[in-house]
Amino acid sequence: MGEPTEPGPDAAAGRGRAALIEDDVEFDGRDAALLRAVDAAGSVAGAASALGRSRARALSRIEALEDAYGTLVERRRGGEGGGGSRLAASGRDLLDRYDRLQAVLAATAAVPETVLDGTVTAVDGELAVVDTEVGEISGLHGGSDAVGNDGPDRHSEIATGDAVQVRIGADAVTVNDAASAVDPDATSARNRLDGRVSAVDPGETVSTVRIAIGAAEASSDADDPDTEVAALITAESIERLGLAPGDPVSIRWKATATRLVAHAE
Amino acid sequence: MGEPTEPGPDAAAGRGRAALIEDDVEFDGRDAALLRAVDAAGSVAGAASALGRSRARALSRIEALEDAYGTLVERRRGGEGGGGSRLAASGRDLLDRYDRLQAVLAATAAVPETVLDGTVTAVDGELAVVDTEVGEISGLHGGSDAVGNDGPDRHSEIATGDAVQVRIGADAVTVNDAASAVDPDATSARNRLDGRVSAVDPGETVSTVRIAIGAAEASSDADDPDTEVAALITAESIERLGLAPGDPVSIRWKATATRLVAHAE
DNA sequence: CACCGTTGTATCTATGTCGATACAACGGCG
DNA sequence: CGCCGTTGTATCGACATAGATACAACGGTG
C-alpha cells in the first residue's frame, strides 16, 4: 500500500460492517443477535440473560426497532411459564434481509476486485462510459441516494471529464475460450476484453484467475507490466476450459455489474 | 411484506450503511466527510469549522483513525499561515476504499435481487449446490469471516440439508438469445435457466427484465405463478436482443456471483 | 386463590462521546 | 522580535446509551 495513485487489480476491499437503516434507526449485528436469541430462548428475558445484557434495555431496544420496522417480536405476558415471546414472521424476514446484506458485504470483502483509473467520456442517465488504459468501459454510477448518503458524506454525481475509478468485482467476470468466440449480439454482457491468463491463484474450490490485458498477440514488453483483471472461477470451470498461464482468453462482464466511483481528487 | 416465508424475486434490499473496520476502529461516512473537508480546507481547524464540529474532537478523531489505519493527514504547526494539514496519499487511498465499499452497498440497495428458498444438497469447500423450485443452483457461501462477524452475530456455516436462501443479484444475470445458444463448455458461467420474458420495467438507460422460469414451452397454468428471476439490462442490450414480453430467453450467471445465506429457521 | 416467570414501566447510576473552552508550542513573516 | 493561525493537550459540562434495580400487571397452573 505504498504507491501514490495506482490501485491496480486486487486492491483489497478490507473489512467492513453493514447495517440496515429505516426511519433513522439502524439494525446492526447486535440487533440481529438479539432477535436470534429471542427466537432461541422464547423470551426476551432469557435472550437478554443469554447475551449478558440488560433485560429492560433489550426490551426497549426491541420497541425502538419496532417503531421503525413494524412488529418483530410477539410478546405475551402471563400464562404458562409466566409468558414469553416469539419471533414474528416479519422479524424473521428482517433477519433474512440483514443476512443477505451481510452476505453481500462479506462477498465484497472476500472477492478480489479490479480497480482501474479512468476518465468519463460520456454520461447517459445512470450509465457512463469511461476511458481507461485498457479501452472504454461502460458501467453504472450513482444509486447512492438509496444508501443513506443524504447525511454527512454525499459526494458523488459524475460528469464528463471527471476522474473516476472503475470497480469490477471478480465474481462478475466471465472467462470465455478465445477460440470459440460467442456471438456478441446474442448476449447482454457487453464489456469485453482479450488477454492472456497470467496467473491462477488456486483456492479450495474457487480460484482467482488473473488476465493480463493487451497481451493478446505478443508476449509483453516485460518492463511494461500489463494491467490485469481478476476473475473468480470455480475449479471445475478452470478444468473444463483448460485454463493455464499463457492461454489466450476473452473476458466479458456486464455494464450493470461495473461500478463507477468518483476518485478522491 | 405479508407472506410468511415467500420472498420471491425482487425483495427490496432496503437502505443500508457501511463502514470500514480496522483494529476495532470504524471508518464511516462522518470520517470520510472529515477527511474530505481537511482536503478542501487545508487545515483541520478549517475542516472542523466548515463541518460545524469541535476542532479538538476532530483532531483526536483523526489521531484515533491514524492509530488504526496509519498516517492519513500530514499536519504541520507553525510556518506560513500558522501551519496546516494535507491529506496524505494513504488517506486518499482510504477514501477511495470507502467510496468503493459505499458504491457496492448502494448497488445492492438499488439493484433488484432474486431470492429463492432451497435446500443444500452438496457442499464442496466454499461452493455448495442448492435444490430450489427451479432446479439445482450452485453458489458461494461463507466468507463472512472477513466482515467482522467474530462479534455478536456469527451465524453462518452451511451443511447438507440446511434450509438456505439463494441470492442472485440482477446485475450478475446475463440474458442470452434462446435461439443462438452459446457453447456451454466455452464459458465459465455455469448456472443456466430457460424461461420467457414476463415483464420489462424500463428505467432511464437501464431496465429490469423479469424472466419467468419453466415457462419455456407452454404458457403457464395461470393459477400457478412461475418463479421469476430479475436481470438488470441496459436499454441498448434490450434493443439489440429485441427483448419483449413472451420472448424465450436463456439466462446465465456465475456460481461465484451467487450467494448462499442461512435461512432464519 | 396463591404461585410463578414473564412482560411492561420507571428511576438511578456508570460510561463514553461530543462540544466548548482554555492555553502552550510551533514556525514563517513583516 | 512580536504577530499570527495553526497544531497539540488538557479539562469541564452536556448528552445519549447502557446496565442495575425495583415494582406493578398479567394470565395460566396447581
Side-chain angles (χ1 to χ4, degrees):
Chain A
M1 196 173 283
E3 316 90 327
T5 176
E6 180 63 1
D10 206 290
R15 287 159 181 273
R17 190 183 85 90
L20 296 168
I21 291 185
E22 198 91 29
D23 231 3
D24 264 1
V25 179
E26 287 195 12
F27 182 91
D28 63 2
R30 202 153 174 267
D31 298 317
L34 178 57
L35 289 198
R36 270 189 258 276
V38 169
D39 193 30
S43 75
V44 177
S49 93
L51 295 177
R53 49 191 288 197
S54 160
R55 180 190 69 85
R57 281 296 149 191
L59 186 57
S60 69
R61 177 60 182 167
I62 289 178
E63 286 170 344
L65 289 174
E66 288 188 325
D67 278 349
Y69 294 88
T71 303
L72 300 177
V73 173
E74 284 161 3
R75 310 187 288 277
R76 192 187 76 243
R77 73 173 163 182
E80 69 167 331
S85 296
R86 284 179 40 241
L87 199 55
S90 51
R92 225 170 283 272
D93 290 347
L94 184 62
L95 270 182
D96 283 337
R97 247 179 75 190
Y98 173 78
D99 285 342
R100 288 199 295 274
L101 179 68
Q102 202 67 17
V104 170
L105 192 72
T108 70
V111 166
E113 60 182 5
T114 301
V115 180
L116 303 171
D117 288 318
T119 309
V120 177
T121 61
V123 178
D124 181 13
E126 35 210 337
L127 219 55
V129 180
V130 179
D131 184 47
T132 73
E133 53 187 337
V134 295
E136 293 206 321
I137 292 176
S138 60
L140 285 181
H141 73 276
S144 47
D145 300 339
V147 187
N149 251 358
D150 329 298
D153 201 2
R154 168 209 305 282
H155 110 108
S156 18
E157 288 325 293
I158 277 176
T160 303
D162 285 359
V164 294
Q165 290 192 325
V166 180
R167 183 198 186 274
I168 310 162
D171 54 0
V173 178
T174 301
V175 177
N176 294 306
D177 210 356
S180 63
V182 286
D183 178 5
D185 283 340
T187 173
S188 62
R190 290 289 277 172
N191 280 318
R192 177 200 156 129
L193 290 173
D194 293 315
R196 285 180 184 273
V197 175
S198 65
V200 178
D201 302 346
E204 202 176 348
T205 51
V206 174
S207 303
T208 302
V209 179
R210 296 175 196 291
I211 295 101
I213 307 302
E217 283 106 38
S219 65
S220 60
D221 281 334
D223 58 338
D224 166 25
D226 295 304
T227 63
E228 291 183 337
V229 175
L232 201 63
I233 307 290
T234 64
E236 182 213 341
S237 286
I238 288 182
E239 189 180 2
R240 193 179 60 251
L241 294 174
L243 293 185
D247 288 354
V249 291
S250 157
I251 63 174
R252 200 180 281 273
W253 71 97
K254 296 179 57 176
T256 53
T258 310
R259 304 300 301 186
L260 270 36
V261 10
H263 185 53
E265 166 204 0
Chain B
M1 200 175 281
E3 317 89 329
T5 175
E6 181 62 2
D10 207 288
R15 288 160 182 271
R17 191 183 83 92
L20 296 169
I21 290 186
E22 199 89 29
D23 231 1
D24 264 0
V25 179
E26 288 194 13
F27 182 90
D28 63 3
R30 202 153 174 265
D31 298 317
L34 178 56
L35 289 198
R36 272 190 257 275
V38 169
D39 193 30
S43 76
V44 175
S49 93
L51 295 177
R53 49 191 288 196
S54 160
R55 181 190 69 86
R57 283 294 148 190
L59 186 57
S60 69
R61 177 60 182 167
I62 289 177
E63 286 170 345
L65 288 174
E66 289 188 323
D67 278 348
Y69 295 88
T71 303
L72 300 178
V73 173
E74 285 160 2
R75 309 186 289 275
R76 191 188 75 243
R77 73 173 164 183
E80 68 168 332
S85 297
R86 283 180 40 241
L87 197 55
S90 50
R92 223 169 286 271
D93 289 349
L94 185 62
L95 269 184
D96 283 337
R97 248 179 73 191
Y98 174 78
D99 284 341
R100 288 199 296 273
L101 180 68
Q102 202 68 18
V104 171
L105 190 72
T108 71
V111 166
E113 62 182 1
T114 301
V115 180
L116 303 171
D117 288 319
T119 310
V120 177
T121 61
V123 178
D124 181 14
E126 35 210 339
L127 218 56
V129 180
V130 178
D131 184 47
T132 73
E133 53 186 338
V134 294
E136 292 204 321
I137 292 176
S138 60
L140 285 182
H141 73 275
S144 45
D145 300 340
V147 188
N149 251 357
D150 330 298
D153 204 1
R154 168 209 303 282
H155 110 110
S156 18
E157 287 328 292
I158 277 176
T160 303
D162 284 0
V164 294
Q165 290 192 326
V166 181
R167 183 200 187 273
I168 310 162
D171 55 0
V173 178
T174 300
V175 176
N176 293 308
D177 209 355
S180 63
V182 286
D183 178 7
D185 283 340
T187 173
S188 63
R190 290 288 279 171
N191 281 317
R192 178 200 154 127
L193 290 174
D194 293 315
R196 285 179 184 274
V197 175
S198 65
V200 177
D201 301 345
E204 201 175 349
T205 51
V206 174
S207 304
T208 302
V209 179
R210 297 176 195 290
I211 294 101
I213 307 301
E217 284 106 36
S219 65
S220 60
D221 280 336
D223 57 339
D224 166 25
D226 295 305
T227 62
E228 292 184 336
V229 176
L232 202 64
I233 306 291
T234 64
E236 180 213 343
S237 286
I238 289 182
E239 188 180 1
R240 194 178 60 252
L241 295 172
L243 292 186
D247 288 355
V249 292
S250 157
I251 63 173
R252 203 179 279 272
W253 72 97
K254 295 179 58 177
T256 53
T258 311
R259 305 300 301 184
L260 270 36
V261 9
H263 184 53
E265 167 204 0

